[in-house]
Structures are given as structure tokens and as C-alpha cells.
Amino acid sequence: MPALGIRFFVRIILPFVRLCVFLHHIYTNNAMRKTKTMLLAAAVTMLLAASCGKSSFKVEGSITEAADSMLYLENLALDGPQVVDSARLGADGTFTLTSEAPQDAPEFYRLRIDRQIINFCVDSTQVVKVGASYPTMASNYTIEGGTDNQKIKELSLMQMGLQATANQILRAPDLGAKAVEDSIKNTVEAYKKNVLNNYIYKEPMKAYAYFALFQGIAVGNAYMMVFDPRRDIDDVKPFSAVATSWDTYHPNSLRCQNLHNIAMEAMKTKRILKAESEGIVVDADKVSEANLIDITLADNKGTKRSLTDLKGKVVLLDFHLFSAEGSQARILALREIYNKYHERGLEIYQVSLDDNDHFWKTQTAALPWISVRDDRGASNVYLYQASTLPVDYIIDRDNQVVMGPQQIKDLAADIAKYL
């Protein structure tokens, strides 16, 4: 029985059964029959209170050819994927997973076996049904329930096609570096036009429009966002369009606030760059006011570490790939900065995007700062809109992002401004 079902039985059903037995005992005692009505009313009240509690939804179905595999239901929260239920699949592949239903806006989830992923959303739907076969479940599945999940499936398959095309371009033997760059850029631009016209601008209030904003592809050692307001200021428009629609349909939701923050930060970056191009010195401390998007991940010792726990320190948030060329030189440079400023209040929160857990732990074993790894599809890179690696953000003692990659010119000197 899933953990949610056990809790419901222990907290609600079992006490109610005991109460019914007690009522029966009282009913047989003529001297106390007058209390029957009152106690029955109390029982009914208790059941009504239970039914008015937070609702849940379930995901059920079958994933064949995956006997003995662990199937995870993960919430794609703003601070990264969180496992909310799991099951080990039997020979027939059937499963039922449950979680608390979203309250104020559609919420995003995924089913995962290893690196095979099925994305979907949950709104007012109580049941989502999924059918697939491993190991092709990510590209060949059926889904029922939820008004937007067919569109999310279309977008997921389109993203896989975009990735496959980019891989073909990268492997083309007759293309030089400039031709490869131009070909990928043109391919992504064509993809963006299709998604903008047929998904985002068509129904910006929909969950699938939000989902479309955070698609991306791997290009060599870099992760490239399809829509990146920091790279292309025109990409602020779709973020703003969805945010405005969600203001109407899902006011005050965290995801809506996140969209506004991304759009505002991009506009501030644009103003800073424009001023600098005109020879104007810009005080980034006054311009960059975007709130911190928290990250919580396990460090190389297995302890959960959150950015928000570092309030009071100046933090260098560093997204890094230890397997990339130039990593060792980069780490040596960070060591010099850390040794120079740590006693004055600097902390480094380094997020690795390496696939191999053992390799990452080996590389970070002797590092003195906080080393965590995002092994769930680089979800935090999506949130921080980092399109290349390595990339840095400076966070001040009040937990505010004060400088991003576009503003940072001299990392050591820029950190020293906030110590």
C-alpha cells in the first residue's frame, strides 16, 4: 500500500472504525441511549472534516518490459524534481502512484525509470492513465487525463526531434565550426517560430504553454535553451505573455511569479548592457533586484544543502561540468578566490551537471566549498536560464541575486564589492 494510503487508513479509517464499535456498545446500554445521537453526529462531522482535507490524485497504468525496475513519480518543483511516490514494477508492469493534488495552479510531474521520462501536468484531474513499454517509454506512450497532456506529449516529442537534428549537424563531417553554429541556430529559430505560433501565443494561459518555455537541447558541453531572454531579448515576450495570462487564471501562483522574475531580470540585463555600450558605468546593485530562486540538492556527503540557508553570506552560485575541457584550471581559479575571501564571508555553492555520480564525488572530495549535483535533467539550469557552462551568479548577504553572467566582468573583484 502506498505511504499516502497507509497514512489515510491510520489517521482516518481506523479511528472511525473504533468509534463505530464504541457507539454500538453504547447503543446496547439503555441508560446511555440518549447520547447516541450526539456521538453519531460527531462521527459524521469527523468524516466530513476528513473529506474536506487536501485532495490527492493518482497516476496509474502499465509499463511493460520493465520488471523489477523502480518507477518514480516526481514533482517538477521550482527548486528541482522531488520524488513524491515510487513503486517497483512487477512482471505485468502495472502501477498506481499517488500524490497531493495542486491547489492554486496546474503542476508539473514526470514518471521516470532511469533516464526514460514521461512529462505531464495535473490540474483538476483526479486520475492520469499512462501506458508504455520500456526502454522506449519516453517516445512511445499513451496518456489519458488532464486537458493539456496531449500537447505536452507533442512538445516532448518535438524536442526529441530537435535534439536529434542538432546531433546530426554536430556529427556532419563536411561542416566547419561556423557552419555548424549557423545550422543549429537556424534549426532552433524555425523550431521557436512553430512553438510560438502554435503553442505559446495560441493559448498562453495553458499549462502546455508554460511547459514550452523551458525546453532546451544539449550542444556539445553546453545546454542551450530554446527560449533564452538573456541571449535574445525578444524571448522576453513569450515569458511575459504566459505570465500575464497566468496572472488572470492562476493569480499569485509561484510559477507565475517565477515567469515575471525571469522577464524582469532579462529586461534589467538589457538596460545594463545598453548603458555599458554607451560608456555609462552602471551600479548593478541598484538594477538587479530579482529574488533568489532557491536550489536544494544533496552535497557530495549526502546532506541536503539549500541556497536560502546561506543567507548572511555572499554566495557564488557556480554551474559547472567537471568532465568538460578546462575544468581543472577553472577549479584552481575558484580555489584562489575562495581562499582569499572565505574568511570575509564568501561561500561557493557549486552545482555539477555531470552524469557520473562516482566521477563527480571523486573530483569534489577535496574541495572546501559546497558541492552538489543536479542529476535530474539539469532542471536548475533551466530555472536560472544558464545557456553555457560554466556560468556564475553572485548572491548578496540578503539572499538576492545581484549579478549574473552578463554583468560579471572580473569575478574576484565583483565578489569583493559585496563582502
Side-chain angles (χ1 to χ4, degrees):
M1 181 182 293
L4 186 64
I6 294 174
R7 289 196 298 271
F8 182 82
F9 180 84
V10 171
R11 296 178 182 177
I12 304 298
I13 301 300
L14 187 56
F16 179 66
V17 171
R18 289 172 175 167
L19 182 57
C20 288
V21 172
F22 177 59
L23 288 175
H24 177 72
H25 173 72
I26 291 174
Y27 182 74
T28 59
N29 187 335
N30 291 332
M32 298 184 67
R33 282 185 181 177
K34 61 183 180 180
T35 63
K36 173 189 172 185
T37 302
M38 181 181 65
L39 292 172
L40 281 174
V44 171
T45 300
M46 186 177 75
L47 282 180
L48 288 174
S51 66
C52 292
K54 292 184 177 179
S55 60
S56 62
F57 72 92
K58 66 179 179 179
V59 188
E60 62 183 20
S62 173
I63 298 178
T64 60
E65 308 299 326
D68 206 38
S69 296
M70 284 300 299
L71 175 66
Y72 296 95
L73 172 61
E74 297 176 332
N75 173 214
L76 298 176
L78 288 177
D79 58 352
Q82 308 290 330
V83 176
V84 294
D85 202 357
S86 63
R88 187 170 296 279
L89 298 179
D92 62 357
T94 59
F95 66 90
T96 298
L97 302 174
T98 61
S99 180
E100 183 179 306
Q103 301 298 313
D104 59 352
E107 191 54 68
F108 298 87
Y109 298 85
R110 68 186 187 184
L111 291 174
R112 181 177 62 84
I113 299 178
D114 195 20
R115 292 186 177 276
Q116 287 288 305
I117 291 169
I118 296 174
N119 293 297
F120 63 96
C121 73
V122 172
D123 40 31
S124 59
T125 303
Q126 297 300 309
V127 180
V128 176
K129 296 183 178 180
V130 175
S133 180
Y134 190 78
T136 61
M137 58 181 271
S139 58
N140 185 20
Y141 66 92
T142 61
I143 186 165
E144 300 176 15
T147 57
D148 289 9
N149 284 326
Q150 290 301 324
K151 292 291 186 181
I152 289 177
K153 178 181 178 180
E154 290 176 17
L155 286 162
S156 297
L157 295 179
M158 287 165 54
Q159 182 181 10
M160 292 179 195
L162 178 63
Q163 181 68 70
T165 301
N167 291 343
Q168 290 176 356
I169 294 172
L170 288 168
R171 291 194 296 263
D174 55 338
L175 291 180
K178 185 64 169 61
V180 166
E181 181 181 349
D182 290 342
S183 295
I184 290 178
K185 180 180 178 181
N186 292 336
T187 300
V188 171
E189 287 301 317
Y191 183 90
K192 286 173 64 174
K193 184 177 180 180
N194 177 31
V195 172
L196 282 172
N197 293 334
N198 296 312
Y199 294 88
I200 295 177
Y201 290 149
K202 187 175 182 179
E203 294 183 299
M205 77 294 295
K206 295 289 190 178
Y208 70 77
Y210 182 103
F211 179 84
L213 291 173
F214 295 95
Q215 292 190 301
I217 57 171
V219 181
N221 289 328
Y223 193 88
M224 178 181 181
M225 297 292 297
V226 172
F227 297 98
D228 187 350
R230 288 184 173 86
R231 185 185 72 238
D232 185 350
I233 197 61
D234 287 339
D235 287 347
V236 171
K237 297 175 184 177
F239 276 86
S240 297
V242 176
T244 301
S245 292
W246 279 47
D247 277 336
T248 300
Y249 290 89
H250 314 293
N252 303 318
S253 69
L254 290 177
R255 291 191 180 276
C256 185
Q257 294 173 26
N258 180 43
L259 292 177
H260 282 299
N261 286 342
I262 291 172
M264 289 174 59
E265 181 66 18
M267 293 301 294
K268 291 170 185 174
T269 300
K270 179 185 179 182
R271 289 198 295 270
I272 291 172
L273 293 176
K274 184 177 185 297
E276 290 179 347
S277 69
E278 296 171 355
I280 302 171
V281 177
V282 178
D283 185 352
D285 204 15
K286 295 180 181 179
V287 180
S288 298
E289 300 169 352
N291 289 330
L292 178 76
I293 301 173
D294 197 18
I295 297 175
T296 301
L297 293 168
D299 66 15
N300 50 8
K301 298 178 180 62
T303 303
K304 290 284 187 180
R305 308 298 294 268
S306 297
L307 274 176
T308 50
D309 291 339
L310 300 176
K311 188 172 184 178
K313 296 180 179 292
V314 173
V315 179
L316 174 63
L317 172 59
D318 178 73
F319 291 95
H320 190 80
L321 194 67
F322 284 89
S323 58
E325 184 178 352
S327 171
Q328 291 186 357
R330 166 76 174 174
I331 293 301
L332 288 175
L334 290 181
R335 270 187 176 274
E336 290 185 7
I337 294 173
Y338 184 88
N339 292 340
K340 184 175 182 180
Y341 293 126
H342 179 61
E343 289 187 359
R344 291 172 57 184
L346 172 68
E347 186 56 81
I348 296 177
Y349 188 100
Q350 188 169 55
V351 182
S352 164
L353 303 178
D354 292 272
D355 288 334
N356 190 302
D357 180 70
H358 178 73
F359 171 78
W360 164 68
K361 287 182 177 178
T362 301
Q363 294 294 308
T364 61
L367 297 182
W369 53 74
I370 297 172
S371 297
V372 299
R373 187 172 73 96
D374 186 353
D375 63 345
R376 298 288 189 261
S379 59
N380 291 294
V381 174
Y382 300 173
L383 296 177
Y384 274 86
Q385 298 285 290
S387 57
T388 59
L389 294 176
V391 67
D392 295 314
Y393 293 83
I394 298 174
I395 301 167
D396 69 12
R397 296 182 189 273
D398 292 325
N399 249 187
Q400 300 289 313
V401 177
V402 290
M403 298 190 78
Q406 297 287 354
Q407 296 103 337
I408 295 173
K409 304 303 179 185
D410 182 329
L411 187 57
D414 289 333
I415 288 172
K417 295 176 185 176
Y418 300 97
L419 292 170

